[in-house]
């Protein structure tokens, strides 16, 4: 019998390799975007058609390729990123296996256009199923565009097992998140069937997180910062009280590469121990910087599993860093970076039992009327040195620590911190006046907040977020309510019905001037939906004609006004805290959606003056 072993032709070997690297459209997106990053791109644009089944096109403004390199790039194990096995131990690029392009070209119709700055013309290569169809000079911009069409056209089994478009698109979006989060200095644009899904401007980590996951996450983010000789950890974790019942956003990155690491995940979860109910998940975005020689990325073709030389020590560092951040920041009010830098944030009372209250030191010997005597305990830092009156005033209250500057606090390094906070006795700080105003001491005096307008602002921003996002959460009513209106109101309701649907209302016309309310917006806690809708129509009718305001916005304003808590509502301490937290997480906390003042500060000086000081 003759010998039977033979070498597989390249095209077959490539197809087999492709099975490992390219499992679905999202893998193509990942590989091609990583190539763009390795090429030093500052901007990456991704166009997807039919969840990537028809087209994946990625354009970058990176270094481009020479005509020879462009052809070489499609060979198996062809890479510019490493040249010897030693290089495997100091990998700083996303790619290095030289498999992606060869794999993609084996199972799709691929067109590459690329040009270096120094070249007059670019190169166009068309490859289908590993076979080069054309290679010719082409006029194109600097950088690279790669179009992948009809993925898996020659691997029917794979193609058949692709999931519904929504699922495949979800995978693509999560791949984009994984590369966009650790690279905020790069602009990413993602289009699906020509509509824009992401347009992520160049920014910083925090901003990038917010751009991807929405403004509401901002108030929950607590910075984590830890530098050791082994590893540097930075990023953000979510405050426990914002933890979600469903899987939250949880990301680890090592040297800007996304990784899955169930064991390190446990370190984070352990740091949250006792701060969370067992069925809640906190968000985290943690970036590990580590010497590339101390990790092995080459465990798996997709490189999301990474081995660490010192995983035990790193576990400890992660645990300690997260724990420390939570301790430091748990009670500090959240601050929105969109705020103008001059606003004071009111005190929040603490959640009992979570963290030790600072000790209250009272000096029994201190007599504030003895001006010459220096106090025997130390003032943290006089607010305004030189103004002895003021100092004395603060001395008087030092005992109860009513007003402190952030740097004087035991938990004080909120970042970014344009504002200040105070700390003190639990549950005693924020008062409600006439069931109408909320009073709170702040650094510069006494803040007075109009409770209804504050709530209108909060609800309005939530509604606007709902209107802008694609997913609408609606809460189904157990017993659908019918609503009978007069013809005018019915007409009005019909006019704004689409916007109400977008907000999460489920309202249907049911005969003449009658409607059925089946559901209400998930963000609202509504017991009598028909009353809310009536009030909403009333508000909408009476809203001043503002040609500039869009109907949507006007509907959101009216709904906010209709559903905001009223004057005369007694608020519990937690409700006050909640209101304040949410208000200061708004982009424009100072004004109601109609532009009315939400808060005012009575300056300390004025209070002093009224006492003739
Ligand atoms: P790897 O990224 O592992 O090196 P790939 O198959 O993904 O392997 O790419 C092969 C080579 O093609 C890369 O090493 C790089 O030199 C070149 N290349 C691929 N994509 C780009 C791009 N967008 N811009 C410039 N060069 C690229
Ligand atoms: Mg690559």
């Amino acid at each position: 019998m003759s010998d039977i072993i033979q070498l597989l032709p390249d095209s077959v070997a490539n197809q087999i390799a492709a099975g490992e690297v390219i499992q679905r459209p999202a893998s193509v997106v990942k590989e091609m975007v990583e190539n763009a990053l390795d090429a030093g791109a500052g901007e990456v644009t991704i166009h997807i058609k039919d969840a990537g089944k028809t087209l994946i096109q990625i354009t970058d403004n990176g270094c481009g390729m020479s005509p020879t390199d462009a052809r070489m790039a499609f060979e198996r194990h062809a890479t510019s990123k490493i040249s010897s096995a030693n290089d495997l131990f100091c990998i700083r690029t996303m790619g290095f296996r030289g498999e992606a392009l060869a794999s993609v070209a084996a199972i799709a119709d691929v067109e590459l256009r690329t040009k270096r700055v120094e070249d007059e013309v670019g190169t166009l290569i068309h490859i289908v199923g590993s076979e080069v169809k054309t290679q010719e000079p082409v006029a194109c911009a600097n950088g690279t565009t790669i179009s992948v069409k009809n993925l898996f056209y020659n691997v029917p089994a794979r193609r058949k097992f692709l999931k519904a478009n929504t699922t495949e698109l979800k995978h693509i979006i999560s791949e984009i998140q994984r590369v966009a989060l650790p690279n905020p200095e790069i602009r990413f644009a993602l289009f699906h069937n020509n509509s824009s899904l992401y347009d992520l401007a160049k920014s910083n980590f925090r901003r990038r997180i917010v751009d991807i996951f929405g403004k509401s996450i901002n108030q929950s983010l607590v910075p984590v910062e830890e530098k050791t000789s082994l590893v540097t950890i930075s990023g953000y974790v979510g405050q426990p009280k914002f933890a979600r019942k469903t899987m939250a956003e949880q990301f680890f990155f090592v040297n800007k590469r996304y990784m899955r690491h169930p064991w390190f995940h446990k370190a984070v979860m352990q740091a949250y121990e006792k701060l969370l109910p067992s069925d809640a998940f906190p968000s985290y975005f943690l970036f590990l910087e580590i010497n590339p020689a101390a990790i092995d990325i080459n465990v798996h073709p997709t490189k999301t599993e990474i081995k660490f030389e010192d995983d035990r020590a790193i576990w400890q560092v992660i645990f300690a860093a997260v724990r420390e951040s939570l301790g430091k920041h748990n009670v500090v009010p959240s601050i929105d970076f969109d705020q103008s830098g001059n606003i004071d944030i009111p005190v929040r009372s603490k959640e009992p039992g979570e963290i030790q209250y600072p000790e209250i030191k009272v000096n029994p010997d201190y007599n504030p009327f003895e001006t010459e005597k220096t106090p025997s305990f130390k003032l943290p830092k006089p607010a305004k040195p030189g103004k002895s009156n003021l100092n004395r005033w603060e001395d008087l209250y030092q005992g109860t620590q009513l007003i402190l500057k952030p740097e004087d606090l035991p938990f004080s390094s909120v970042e970014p911190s344009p504002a200040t906070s105070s700390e003190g006795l639990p549950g005693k700080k924020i008062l409600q006046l006439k069931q109408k105003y909320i009073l709170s001491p702040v650094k510069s005096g006494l803040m007075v907040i109009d409770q209804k307008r504050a709530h209108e602002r909060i609800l309005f921003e939530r509604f606007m977020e709902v209107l802008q996002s694609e997913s609408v959460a609606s809460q189904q009513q157990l017993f659908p309510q019918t609503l009978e209106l007069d013809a005018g109101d019915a007409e009005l309701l019909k006019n704004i019905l689409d916007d109400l649907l977008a907000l999460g209302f489920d309202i249907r016309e049911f005969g003449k001037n009658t409607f059925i309310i089946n559901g209400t917006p998930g963000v609202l806690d509504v017991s009598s939906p028909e009353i809310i809708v009536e009030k909403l129509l009333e508000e909408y009718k009476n809203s001043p004609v503002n040609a500039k305001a869009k109907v949507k916005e006007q509907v959101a304003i009216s709904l906010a006004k209709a559903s905001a808590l009223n004057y005369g509502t007694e608020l519990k301490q937690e409700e006050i805290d909640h209101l304040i937290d949410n208000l200061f997480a708004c982009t424009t906390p100072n004004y109601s959606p109609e532009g009315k003042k939400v808060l005012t500060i009575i300056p300390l000086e004025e209070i002093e003056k009224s006492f003739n000081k």
Side-chain angles (χ1 to χ4, degrees):
M1 209 172 140
S2 60
D3 298 333
I4 51 170
I5 298 176
Q6 47 179 310
L7 276 175
L8 288 173
D10 269 357
S11 57
V12 179
N14 284 340
Q15 258 200 40
I16 294 170
E20 284 199 298
V21 188
I22 311 293
Q23 283 123 12
R24 52 179 10 128
S27 338
V28 179
V29 173
K30 169 182 188 278
E31 292 295 333
M32 300 303 113
V33 172
E34 287 187 353
N35 280 348
L37 300 192
D38 285 343
E43 283 190 28
V44 182
T45 305
I46 303 131
H47 277 276
I48 306 289
K49 290 243 158 78
D50 304 323
K53 294 172 188 170
T54 315
L55 173 76
I56 297 165
Q57 180 185 298
I58 289 162
T59 302
D60 68 56
N61 61 351
C63 64
M65 287 174 259
S66 72
T68 317
D69 282 350
R71 176 67 190 83
M72 265 301 277
F74 288 100
E75 291 300 321
R76 202 142 159 242
H77 307 308
T79 179
S80 56
K81 298 166 196 174
I82 58 171
S83 54
S84 74
N86 276 345
D87 296 342
L88 274 176
F89 303 108
C90 53
I91 285 164
R92 284 276 175 200
T93 51
M94 301 300 289
F96 57 86
R97 295 169 60 116
E99 287 176 327
L101 281 181
S103 299
V104 173
I107 50 171
D109 176 328
V110 178
E111 218 176 67
L112 172 81
R113 281 160 212 270
T114 187
K115 180 174 131 25
R116 300 181 299 179
V117 187
E118 62 265 41
D119 296 334
E120 292 258 307
V121 286
T123 305
L124 166 67
I125 293 183
H126 184 196
I127 297 194
V128 184
S130 297
E131 200 183 305
V132 181
K133 299 285 182 190
T134 38
Q135 167 154 16
E136 60 194 30
V138 70
C140 62
N142 293 332
T144 303
T145 295
I146 183 153
S147 310
V148 179
K149 293 180 198 154
N150 300 331
L151 186 66
F152 299 126
Y153 79 99
N154 54 354
V155 198
R158 275 279 157 145
R159 190 149 178 110
K160 213 166 71 200
F161 281 104
L162 288 180
K163 298 277 191 311
N165 281 7
T166 43
T167 312
E168 293 301 336
L169 188 63
K170 243 190 226 155
H171 283 288
I172 292 175
I173 289 173
S174 63
E175 287 299 348
I176 303 282
Q177 292 175 350
R178 291 167 185 183
V179 280
L181 280 168
N183 294 291
E185 70 291 350
I186 295 172
R187 182 175 165 232
F188 288 90
L190 171 65
F191 296 86
H192 184 238
N193 295 338
N194 293 326
S195 65
S196 162
L197 294 188
Y198 280 137
D199 188 3
L200 306 173
K202 299 183 186 197
S203 58
N204 55 32
F205 283 139
R206 191 177 185 120
R207 183 86 225 193
R208 180 58 56 97
I209 295 172
V210 172
D211 284 347
I212 292 180
F213 297 108
K215 238 183 266 150
S216 58
I217 200 168
N218 187 40
Q219 57 178 327
S220 117
L221 297 177
V222 162
V224 176
E225 213 74 62
E226 189 71 64
K227 227 182 174 137
T228 67
S229 54
L230 183 65
V231 60
T232 299
I233 297 175
S234 61
Y236 296 91
V237 294
Q239 289 183 48
K241 65 178 171 187
F242 291 97
R244 303 237 234 116
K245 289 273 188 261
T246 51
M247 266 322 253
E249 330 306 345
Q250 302 182 326
F251 293 88
F252 274 123
F253 300 92
V254 187
N255 298 348
K256 293 197 167 190
R257 183 192 302 276
Y258 169 81
M259 75 160 175
R260 278 174 28 80
H261 208 295
W263 198 53
F264 288 169
H265 169 77
K266 285 210 180 106
V268 179
M269 297 316 285
Q270 203 143 319
Y272 275 92
E273 207 166 40
K274 300 219 174 80
L275 299 175
L276 277 183
S278 59
D279 56 348
F281 301 92
S283 298
Y284 61 80
F285 306 86
L286 293 174
F287 302 92
L288 277 57
E289 269 300 316
I290 190 164
N291 179 354
I295 54 176
D296 185 0
I297 308 162
N298 202 15
V299 187
H300 189 268
T302 60
K303 312 181 196 93
T304 47
E305 274 157 50
I306 294 175
K307 268 215 290 239
F308 289 76
E309 217 172 79
D310 280 309
D311 51 1
R312 270 164 200 284
I314 294 172
W315 196 102
Q316 291 296 342
V317 180
I318 294 174
F319 170 78
V322 174
R323 190 97 197 153
E324 189 189 320
S325 288
L326 289 174
K328 258 194 207 163
H329 297 286
N330 208 3
V331 287
V332 178
S334 40
I335 289 159
D336 194 295
F337 53 70
D338 283 345
Q339 255 165 236
S340 55
N342 52 12
I343 194 161
D344 281 356
I345 304 279
V347 214
R348 283 261 289 95
S349 68
K350 284 187 209 161
E351 275 145 50
E354 286 189 1
I355 276 171
Q356 290 283 296
Y357 297 121
E359 256 180 77
I360 298 169
K361 292 197 202 91
V362 183
N363 176 7
D365 300 325
Y366 181 54
N367 177 352
F369 304 103
E370 268 179 43
T371 41
E372 292 315 307
K373 189 177 167 188
T374 17
S376 57
F377 59 93
K378 256 196 147 174
L379 258 183
K381 235 182 215 176
K384 289 184 185 163
K387 285 201 179 172
S388 59
N389 277 346
L390 204 58
N391 277 351
R392 227 165 54 234
W393 186 87
E394 289 201 356
D395 291 357
L396 188 60
Y397 284 89
Q398 166 70 6
T400 50
Q401 303 205 333
L402 260 174
I403 297 171
L404 287 181
K405 297 176 83 193
E407 58 266 36
D408 302 327
L409 297 175
F411 337 91
S412 64
S413 45
V414 182
E415 181 244 66
S417 180
T420 184
S421 60
S422 315
E423 190 48 68
L425 297 172
K428 289 274 156 61
K429 315 314 289 297
I430 312 184
L431 298 172
Q432 202 186 5
L433 177 67
K434 292 250 172 212
Q435 297 169 337
K436 193 172 183 187
Y437 296 112
I438 289 164
L439 307 181
S440 172
V442 290
K443 189 182 74 176
S444 54
L446 180 66
M447 184 183 282
V448 184
I449 298 171
D450 181 312
Q451 67 183 46
K452 182 168 192 299
R453 291 183 187 172
H455 199 208
E456 287 173 5
R457 160 56 59 187
I458 295 164
L459 290 172
F460 171 69
E461 293 208 2
R462 292 234 173 113
F463 296 149
M464 289 310 284
E465 237 174 270
V466 171
L467 285 175
Q468 274 147 22
S469 77
E470 295 204 352
S471 59
V472 184
S474 178
Q475 195 174 318
Q476 289 302 303
Q477 292 290 309
L478 212 47
F479 306 104
Q481 300 287 328
T482 41
L483 182 65
E484 275 199 17
L485 298 171
D486 67 40
D489 280 0
E491 201 49 39
L492 184 63
L493 183 55
K494 274 189 236 167
N495 279 340
I496 58 172
L497 207 53
D498 278 352
D499 295 311
L500 291 178
L501 290 182
L503 278 162
F505 275 105
D506 183 354
I507 302 179
R508 256 159 248 179
E509 227 184 321
F510 184 70
K512 201 166 181 282
N513 301 341
T514 309
F515 296 81
I516 292 202
I517 310 174
N518 287 310
T520 49
V523 291
L524 272 185
D525 191 7
V526 183
S527 52
S528 332
E530 71 287 15
I531 295 177
I532 289 284
V533 174
E534 275 181 19
K535 271 170 111 184
L536 160 78
L537 292 173
E538 219 31 56
E539 290 289 354
Y540 190 76
K541 266 191 290 188
N542 296 331
S543 55
V545 184
N546 181 351
K548 267 196 239 146
K550 298 197 191 83
V551 175
K552 261 186 184 165
E553 203 172 303
Q554 200 53 60
V555 172
I557 293 177
S558 305
L559 180 57
K561 289 186 72 182
S563 43
L565 62 90
N566 249 321
Y567 299 131
T569 315
E570 176 111 53
L571 295 177
K572 292 199 204 87
Q573 189 64 47
E574 315 99 78
E575 292 170 326
I576 296 179
D577 290 346
H578 211 68
L579 189 80
I580 285 184
D581 271 1
N582 286 325
L583 176 65
F584 288 98
C586 287
T587 22
T588 320
N590 305 31
Y591 293 99
S592 80
E594 290 180 309
K596 292 184 184 156
K597 229 178 181 182
V598 167
L599 53 89
T600 183
I601 294 175
I602 303 170
L604 196 53
E605 283 81 356
E606 271 206 42
I607 298 172
E608 300 259 30
K609 239 192 262 160
S610 66
F611 287 105
N612 294 328
K613 289 187 187 165

